Amino acid sequence: MKVFLRFALALVLSFSGVNAFAHHYSVGKLKITHPWARSTSTGAKNGAAFMSITNTGSQPDRLIGASSPVAKVVQIHTMSMENGVMKMRHLTDGLEIAPGQTVVLKPGSFHVMLMGLKKPLKKGDEVPVFLNFEKTAGIGVMVKVGAEPKGHN
């Protein structure tokens, strides 16, 4: 219960002065755009969230973790194909966002893995996810469940 209350407070504070349904978020020198997820089937235990993260600063930062009340565990993952086999790997050191660069979390690549879903992700839902960075304060974002946004690379 303590963890959920901390998450709820952090989410409320991160939305202070921001439209809770915005599709663009800023924290420090980081810009998060178009957080989204595909819907999951009934009984699915895992899902993934995607977004773009731009570092407008002069120092690197890292996405080192995340949490959400809709999943038991949330991790930063990468996916790759090796000899025709899909391999997913937890990025235990996080994901670097270099200065002046944009990292796109997308299907088949980097993503926020939602494991142990407490309920299916349904099209039209908005799911809260709190992103933790190494140097910048964390931020809560609302992940829209549905199709990949147009113009999302």
Side-chain angles (χ1 to χ4, degrees):
M1 185 66 166
K2 223 185 228 187
V3 171
F4 178 76
L5 290 176
R6 253 187 294 157
F7 175 80
L9 177 61
L11 193 60
V12 168
L13 290 175
S14 72
F15 287 137
S16 298
V18 175
N19 179 346
F21 297 105
H23 219 211
H24 304 275
Y25 303 86
S26 295
V27 59
K29 299 290 183 179
L30 300 177
K31 311 287 182 216
I32 297 101
T33 56
H34 302 300
W36 69 283
R38 289 183 176 146
S39 57
T40 59
S41 60
T42 303
K45 295 297 179 195
N46 301 319
F50 312 101
M51 63 200 72
S52 294
I53 304 173
T54 302
N55 183 345
T56 64
S58 59
Q59 298 295 316
D61 206 341
R62 297 184 91 72
L63 175 61
I64 57 171
S67 58
S68 177
V70 302
K72 291 179 183 172
V73 176
V74 182
Q75 297 178 341
I76 311 307
H77 279 200
T78 187
M79 190 167 64
S80 62
M81 292 295 286
E82 294 177 23
N83 299 321
V85 177
M86 181 178 68
K87 297 201 176 206
M88 196 172 329
R89 183 172 54 93
H90 174 206
L91 298 175
T92 56
D93 292 331
L95 176 62
E96 182 177 40
I97 301 101
Q101 299 293 310
T102 297
V103 176
V104 179
L105 286 71
K106 61 185 178 181
S109 184
F110 301 116
H111 56 279
V112 175
M113 190 74 192
L114 305 165
M115 299 181 296
L117 289 174
K118 297 174 182 174
K119 65 178 188 167
L121 303 178
K122 294 182 182 175
K123 184 176 182 178
D125 285 353
E126 299 220 19
V127 176
V129 174
F130 192 81
L131 304 172
N132 297 305
F133 295 94
E134 184 175 62
K135 296 177 182 172
T136 305
I139 186 170
V141 300
M142 293 302 287
V143 174
K144 293 183 180 185
V145 180
E148 181 174 0
K150 288 182 170 99
H152 191 267
N153 303 348

